[in-house]
Amino acid sequence: MEKIVNGYLQFKESGFEERKDLFEKLSNSQSPEVLFITCSDSRIDPNLITQTEPGDLFVIRNAGNIVPPHTRESDGIAASIEFAVVALGVKHIVVCGHSNCGAMKGALNTSGLTALPKVKGWLNYCSEAVTIVQSRERNLASDELDSVTQENVLLQIRRLEQYPEISKRMTTGSIEIHGWVYEIGEGTIKCFNQEKQGFIEL
Ligand code: ZN
C-alpha cells in the first residue's frame, strides 16, 4: 500500500504537472477513440503497451476479458459497452487477451475451481472456446492454453457483434473490432488477421 500512496504523491508533484494541459482539457469531457476490453491481470497496462495517455482508451477489465451474451437485463459490462459505443462514439473496440492467463487456465480446468465458485460460473462464458479448441486438436498443454486464449478473444468478438448498438454501426463501417493477444514475456501483440484467419504480430 505504501508503494501506491508514495506513487500518488509523486504523481501530484511531477506526473500531473507534466500533463497539466492535458488534464485541464480532460477535466470536463472525454472522447476516446478506442474501447479496450482486457483481462484484470496485474501484468497488463493498457496505456503502457499502447503508449497512450489518459483520455485515449475507455477500458473494461474483468477476469478473462469476457463479454457476456447480450440480454435485455442490465449488467456492468453491457452498460459500459453501451456508454462507450452510443454516448462516446468510440470508433474501435479492441478485445485483448494475454499469455499465461489464469482465467484461461481455469476455463481449461474447471474441476480445480471448487474454492472459486464465482470464477467457475463466470468462466462458463469461455467454455465454448475450450470446446472449439479441444474438438480440433490434441496438442501440448502449453499450446492448448495459447489456442484457448486466441479462441476466447474470437468468441468475445462474436458476442460483441450481437450487441445491437454495435452490429448497427458495423454495417455502416463506423465501428471496427480488433482481436489482440498480448505476450507478456516478449512485449509483443498478435492481432487476428481476417484474411489469414490467424493471429499475426501487429
Ligand atoms: Zn488473464
Side-chain angles (χ1 to χ4, degrees):
M1 196 59 200
E2 204 184 321
K3 186 176 176 178
I4 70 165
V5 173
N6 286 336
Y8 159 66
L9 295 173
Q10 201 185 325
F11 164 71
K12 216 177 139 201
E13 203 178 285
S14 58
F16 179 79
E17 289 302 319
E18 283 162 20
R19 294 174 179 81
K20 216 171 175 171
D21 292 344
L22 173 65
F23 285 121
E24 200 187 320
K25 205 178 102 194
L26 292 174
S27 62
N28 291 315
S29 68
Q30 60 169 334
S31 62
E33 197 193 354
V34 178
L35 164 59
F36 198 86
I37 301 173
T38 193
C39 187
S40 296
D41 195 292
S42 65
R43 297 165 292 180
I44 304 167
D45 184 333
N47 287 119
L48 180 68
I49 65 174
T50 58
Q51 293 287 288
T52 47
E53 292 283 351
D56 288 334
L57 304 176
F58 189 86
V59 181
I60 296 174
R61 300 187 76 154
N62 61 62
N65 38 272
I66 284 165
V67 177
H70 184 267
T71 66
R72 293 171 69 174
E73 305 297 317
S74 283
D75 67 69
I77 294 172
S80 302
I81 290 170
E82 184 182 76
F83 185 73
V85 172
V86 179
L88 298 176
V90 295
K91 303 279 181 286
H92 300 271
I93 303 176
V94 175
V95 179
C96 184
H98 68 99
S99 59
N100 196 249
C101 181
M104 296 304 106
K105 288 182 195 169
L108 273 164
N109 180 26
T110 49
S111 60
L113 296 173
T114 43
L116 304 168
K118 300 284 186 217
V119 174
K120 193 175 178 178
W122 179 244
L123 294 179
N124 275 334
Y125 293 132
C126 303
S127 60
E128 203 182 312
V130 174
T131 306
I132 291 170
V133 169
Q134 290 183 338
S135 67
R136 77 166 176 229
E137 48 196 315
R138 286 279 166 267
N139 274 332
L140 295 169
S142 60
D143 292 342
E144 197 176 46
L145 179 59
D146 290 345
S147 299
V148 167
T149 300
Q150 293 183 354
E151 206 54 58
N152 179 59
V153 166
L154 300 179
L155 171 65
Q156 307 313 326
I157 288 177
R158 290 197 292 279
R159 296 246 178 78
L160 282 171
E161 289 168 352
Q162 283 160 13
Y163 279 60
E165 61 269 32
I166 294 173
S167 65
K168 202 167 70 186
R169 284 165 176 80
M170 285 182 78
T171 54
T172 61
S174 58
I175 205 163
E176 266 182 76
I177 307 182
H178 313 267
W180 287 10
V181 173
Y182 169 53
E183 193 69 43
I184 292 169
E186 291 168 16
T188 52
I189 289 168
K190 284 183 180 156
C191 175
F192 184 72
N193 184 293
Q194 204 54 260
E195 233 166 83
K196 300 199 164 97
Q197 285 295 298
F199 283 79
I200 54 172
E201 199 172 325
L202 196 64

